[in-house]
Amino acid sequence: MTLPATTPLRLYLMQVATLSQVEVPIVCYLVQTADGKNILIDSGLPGQFETPAGRPAPILGQDVFAQLALLDLQPDDIDLLICTHFDLDHCGHHVDFPRAELVVQREQYETARNGHPRFAAARPHWDLPAERYRLINGDTTLLPGIELIETSGHVPGHMSVLVRLSQTGPILLTIDAAPNEESFHPDRQAGPLDLDVEKTIASTIKLLEVARREQVALTIFGHDGHQWPTLKTLPAYYE
Ligand SMILES: [Zn+2]
């Protein structure tokens, strides 16, 4: 079988920080395509930040640049940056990929742009010139084998990602629509950081349906301290 040239070849998982006490990983992802495109999904925490009172303090690990360097990749090598949402632990290095086109749901972009306080602290990291952004509306095929799935609730215009790999099969990255395995059930509770309870639950049900319909081989949760140690992480990869 001949695969289309721009088709996912490898998926790399990177842990860039850990929330202390609770062992919650903060992560981002890299997809490499058969024709040599590098697609980053989120960029992790910035090098400096303030932890809101009462929240666990993140401990920084190897950042996205150090991990990409292990693959001989520089920031200029990133062609596309999928922005799942603009929480600080997902967008902390968006400004540092000067050649990348940033892909985001229009609803997330406009909510943040219009000054929603949730995204104020991270603003220096995502507030780039509008021409850097590709705004999308709802579920979108980014390229053959990469589906962007609108999963609002955690924030407006939150995005999850389905990556189809030739050997592993489809991998679903829930991101924060389902932060851990316990939340991946139709009767789940929303978390304290989920802005819209009903939409959070509706998006979970939507992802459960995607997982069933697409016969997803592996679902990777956004911040699952129990699952993460069982997964292959960079420099290992899924293919
Ligand atoms: Zn998160």
Side-chain angles (χ1 to χ4, degrees):
M1 188 177 77
T2 310
L3 294 169
T6 304
T7 201
L9 200 62
R10 294 177 171 181
L11 171 68
Y12 290 93
L13 280 52
M14 295 173 249
Q15 178 171 0
V16 295
T18 311
L19 292 180
S20 57
Q21 294 135 5
V22 283
E23 292 295 315
V24 167
I26 292 173
V27 308
C28 53
Y29 311 88
L30 174 75
V31 177
Q32 292 190 310
T33 65
D35 63 348
K37 283 195 169 52
N38 293 297
I39 302 167
L40 194 63
I41 303 171
D42 290 341
S43 63
L45 276 167
Q48 294 193 322
F49 53 87
E50 282 182 31
T51 304
R55 301 258 293 275
I59 298 165
L60 293 176
Q62 236 184 353
D63 67 18
V64 63
F65 312 111
Q67 299 204 42
L68 292 174
L70 296 174
L71 306 177
D72 274 333
L73 293 175
Q74 306 299 315
D76 271 355
D77 295 321
I78 300 299
D79 301 287
L80 285 167
L81 204 173
I82 297 173
C83 310
T84 67
H85 62 302
F86 292 146
D87 278 350
L88 191 64
D89 56 325
H90 294 261
C91 72
H93 285 296
H94 281 12
V95 297
D96 301 318
F97 294 93
R99 216 179 58 73
E101 181 183 18
L102 291 89
V103 182
V104 69
Q105 289 286 333
R106 180 182 299 277
E107 188 184 16
Q108 165 67 133
Y109 180 79
E110 289 182 348
T111 301
R113 231 20 214 283
N114 291 338
H116 194 297
R118 167 79 165 237
F119 311 105
R123 186 155 199 146
H125 306 291
W126 57 258
D127 195 2
L128 299 168
E131 59 269 23
R132 294 285 312 278
Y133 277 99
R134 187 197 308 186
L135 304 182
I136 59 172
N137 302 297
D139 296 350
T140 301
T141 300
L142 180 66
L143 49 87
I146 300 186
E147 306 290 341
L148 306 177
I149 306 165
E150 188 270 330
T151 45
S152 291
H154 182 65
V155 299
H158 180 278
M159 232 169 9
S160 305
V161 185
L162 183 78
V163 181
R164 293 195 179 91
L165 293 170
S166 61
Q167 291 190 24
T168 308
I171 295 186
L172 178 60
L173 309 175
T174 62
I175 316 297
D176 287 6
N180 50 45
E181 189 170 13
E182 297 78 65
S183 64
F184 203 46
H185 292 282
D187 55 355
R188 65 167 291 184
Q189 309 284 309
L193 297 177
D194 296 330
L195 290 180
D196 186 314
V197 172
E198 278 180 27
K199 285 186 177 171
T200 296
I201 292 165
S203 287
T204 301
I205 292 168
K206 178 179 181 178
L207 288 180
L208 285 161
E209 172 58 21
V210 168
R212 190 195 62 77
R213 185 182 69 226
E214 301 284 342
Q215 298 183 299
V216 160
L218 175 63
T219 299
I220 298 178
F221 304 106
H223 295 281
D224 192 327
H226 295 292
Q227 182 191 38
W228 191 258
T230 71
L231 300 170
K232 286 192 246 185
T233 53
L234 188 150
Y237 54 85
Y238 293 90
E239 61 185 334

